[in-house]
Amino acid sequence: MQTIRKGSRGGDVATLQHALNLIADGIFGPITDEAVRDFQRSHNLAVDGIVGPKTWATLGIGSSPNPRRIDKIILHCSATPEGEDYTVDQIRQMHLARGFTDIGYHWYITRDGKIHKGRDEAKIGAHTTGQNSHSIGVCYCGGCPLRSVKNWANQGKDTRTPAQRAAIIRLCKELKSR
């Protein structure tokens, strides 16, 4: 594999993007650069955005891939108004429209406390800049006040239902045990 960096194009870039679970368009742009730096940081490599022999080897290109080393669980809200539902499929479609390969979160918890699988845990998430390669992203439906509240979209509110709180605790305990 060739050494590649931001501005590079071609098959090696597409291979890299596929390994990082990005849309493989073969163009090493800002999203690919961010994913490379995040990967390098989480694997104790020089964080320079340049994909040379060490980064290729750590990615497992040409050999068996290295498993992800998870050291964080990052909790998110969907920024949905209180009392309103937003499905995992709606978030997936929104993320696909933004150019992600799938929903960015690994798990999504609806207001009824049901835990829905999002992106496969073996794949790098797309939920927190600089943290994706070594974390699991969990999102719950809610996080904003009622739509009737002035500037509701710019305000945060803990809207978790008792069922969501219980599900978050249960899921986080399971994830930590693994």
Side-chain angles (χ1 to χ4, degrees):
M1 303 304 287
Q2 294 180 8
T3 296
I4 57 176
R5 61 182 48 88
K6 192 172 181 179
S8 298
R9 293 174 176 260
D12 285 349
V13 175
T15 299
L16 168 69
Q17 291 168 325
H18 182 72
L20 294 172
N21 300 304
L22 301 172
I23 292 176
D25 64 3
I27 301 169
F28 198 135
I31 293 172
T32 303
D33 184 62
E34 177 187 325
V36 166
R37 289 173 189 274
D38 189 29
F39 179 84
Q40 289 172 328
R41 187 176 301 107
S42 70
H43 289 84
N44 299 317
L45 298 168
V47 182
D48 56 11
I50 299 169
V51 182
K54 287 184 181 177
T55 301
W56 283 122
T58 305
L59 280 163
I61 304 300
S63 62
S64 59
N66 293 336
R68 287 195 333 125
R69 187 188 89 239
I70 306 301
D71 61 11
K72 290 182 181 158
I73 301 166
I74 301 177
L75 302 177
H76 301 270
C77 71
S78 63
T80 305
E82 185 173 10
E84 294 185 25
D85 290 317
Y86 204 68
T87 68
V88 69
D89 287 329
Q90 287 174 297
I91 291 180
R92 178 175 280 112
Q93 291 309 310
M94 179 182 65
H95 286 183
L96 288 170
R98 290 176 57 193
F100 298 1
T101 59
D102 193 3
I103 185 172
Y105 309 111
H106 297 96
W107 299 99
Y108 184 67
I109 303 171
T110 49
R111 292 180 33 218
D112 60 5
K114 289 185 181 170
I115 300 171
H116 300 267
K117 187 174 182 355
R119 183 178 291 224
D120 190 289
E121 285 183 19
K123 295 183 177 182
I124 296 170
H127 55 90
T128 307
T129 300
Q131 305 295 316
N132 290 318
S133 68
H134 58 95
S135 66
I136 297 290
V138 176
C139 183
Y140 76 90
C141 180
C144 287
L146 296 169
R147 282 188 192 273
S148 60
V149 173
K150 185 178 179 181
N151 296 320
W152 69 268
N154 296 323
Q155 299 179 40
K157 181 177 181 186
D158 184 356
T159 62
R160 293 174 296 165
T161 65
Q164 282 176 312
R165 289 175 191 267
I168 289 168
I169 290 169
R170 187 172 64 254
L171 177 59
C172 288
K173 283 182 178 180
E174 179 192 328
L175 292 171
K176 283 179 68 175
S177 74
R178 289 192 272 131

